[in-house]
Amino acid sequence: MHHFSYHQGRLYCEQVDLSRVADDVGTPVYVYSTATLRRHARVIAEAFTGVDCLIAYSVKANGNLAVLRTLAREGCGADVVSGGELLRALRAGIPASRIVFSGVGKSRMEMKLALDQGIHQFNVESAAELVVLSDVAATLGKVAPVAIRVNPDVAAGGHPNISTGKAGDKFGVAWAEAPGLYQQIQALPGVEAVGVDVHIGSQIGDLAPMRLAFEKTVGLVRQLRAEGHTLTRVDLGGGLAIPYHAEDSPAPPKAYADMIRDITEALGIQVILEPGRVIAGNAGILITEVLYQKPAPDRTFLIVDAGMNDLIRPALYQAHHDILPLREAGADVGWTPFDVVGPICESTDKFASQRLLPNPEPGDRLAFMSSGAYGAVLASQYNARPLVAEVLVDGDRFAVVRRRPSFEEMIALEHMPDWLS
Ligand code: LLP
């Protein structure tokens, strides 16, 4: 469910006419819906009623400060994977006690920052990281709360680029290695084991692989407890899919929550979840303006002013985003196929092939739907294009929550060496 729909032939976000946003702010621009973000956070929280649960929103999906503050006010914690994401979460008002730190490559500096802040948990992904974390913590006179991220060797389906839970993926520690690491934790001065962590991938629409991975993980928790480790938490990661096509029907949060309740309730344990896409994905769109139609012998290209530097998902994962015109097409307009492409000098700068659209003319605006997660966060300045702007809508008001940088700002970090001045 989201709050983007047509009213009298114009696409709105909540009560804001999106053409007005495009006029005021220019294109390309991401637009996020507060009501949708809130709704998703609440649906998940309600699905887990009765479960001792920390919903640690995965900042990587959309780390805009205004988005994070909106979710902080809904009571979300945060799952972060860098010092920068940690600082964003804190700046947005998410308390350190509700932040977990994941990722395979934490630096000593990032560990120190997180220890100084007193975060809830480190999800540790290798023996080597464990030793360094213990060392950093002990030097500070602290003890880091740790969950080992295990690799359950479960294939999650979905696109191979976003599957993380198979042996051979760089994530987590091999299943057989995990018990030894918990032994090692007992011998290290700066770490204590508090839980077990698992995350098998993203955009997972079928609960079966999740159930398999979570049952294995809970089995490991029982085994480790029997071996004398006092584990009070299990972190089950993120990964729930959203419908990118209208006809998709991925597992709903309620079914996901019931499955997790079923598996974990006998344990008397805190369940940590790291949802990203399911909260932010359908809460955002990217608006672009049509620049040209370019007929070729076998197709017509529709050239728009957004590029793969603004939304890389189609280029990187062959991802589908529905494309809606901001002005609804009349019944008399014919729909014809277009290859929708951006201005970037790369053949992969293509949003859609042979997509039926109602003959968009130069100056018309289009919306790439379901772009709220892994959209703006993955944007770059490739081809010296300014970073895409972001807008947050709340009811009948909207605000620019990241403005487009000026050319001078874009080059401000660069320096001419004296021999070239
Ligand atoms: N926790 C961990 C440890 C993760 O690696 C991820 C996502 C999440 C949680 C959040 O997963 P979600 O609930 O959003 O599925 N850029 C790709 C997706 C990459 C996902 C990376 N990890 C895309 O656009 O599809």
Side-chain angles (χ1 to χ4, degrees), residues 58 60 79 102 149 162 199 201-203 238-240 274-277 313 317 374 378:
S58 200
K60 68 173 78 65
D79 159 48
S102 307
R149 176 166 172 186
I162 53 176
H199 170 83
S202 197
Q203 187 57 14
L240 210 53
E274 302 170 355
R277 187 190 317 261
R313 301 195 68 258
Y317 319 109
Y374 308 110
L378 276 156

Side-chain angles (χ1 to χ4, degrees), residues 93-222:
I94 296 174
S97 60
R98 300 176 70 73
I99 296 178
V100 299
F101 197 163
S102 307
V104 294
K106 302 173 197 76
S107 70
R108 281 177 178 266
M109 243 167 60
E110 289 174 319
M111 290 172 179
K112 179 173 182 311
L113 174 65
L115 285 162
D116 284 340
Q117 294 294 332
I119 65 161
H120 189 55
Q121 175 172 306
F122 290 84
N123 291 333
V124 168
E125 301 225 14
S126 64
E129 181 192 342
L130 192 59
V131 171
V132 172
L133 179 58
S134 174
D135 185 47
V136 174
T139 307
L140 295 171
K142 295 181 190 284
V143 177
V146 162
I148 299 291
R149 176 166 172 186
V150 289
N151 183 327
D153 194 18
V154 170
H159 195 278
N161 288 10
I162 53 176
S163 160
T164 58
K166 278 294 285 173
D169 289 333
K170 73 174 178 182
F171 299 99
V173 305
W175 197 257
E177 197 191 332
L181 284 185
Y182 282 88
Q183 288 297 116
Q184 196 179 337
I185 290 175
Q186 287 189 320
L188 288 168
V191 282
E192 73 172 324
V194 294
V196 179
D197 171 44
V198 71
H199 170 83
I200 59 169
S202 197
Q203 187 57 14
I204 304 171
D206 173 11
L207 293 182
M210 286 199 181
R211 178 177 269 276
L212 196 62
F214 298 169
E215 277 172 347
K216 276 186 88 166
T217 305
V218 162
L220 181 62
V221 170
R222 288 184 201 283

Side-chain angles (χ1 to χ4, degrees), residues 18-50:
L18 288 166
S19 300
R20 199 155 67 79
V21 176
D23 288 343
D24 278 20
V25 184
T27 55
V29 58
Y30 279 92
V31 180
Y32 310 127
S33 156
T34 298
T36 312
L37 290 167
R38 282 198 189 127
R39 188 191 139 80
H40 291 164
R42 286 176 195 177
V43 164
I44 294 172
E46 278 163 24
F48 282 93
T49 304

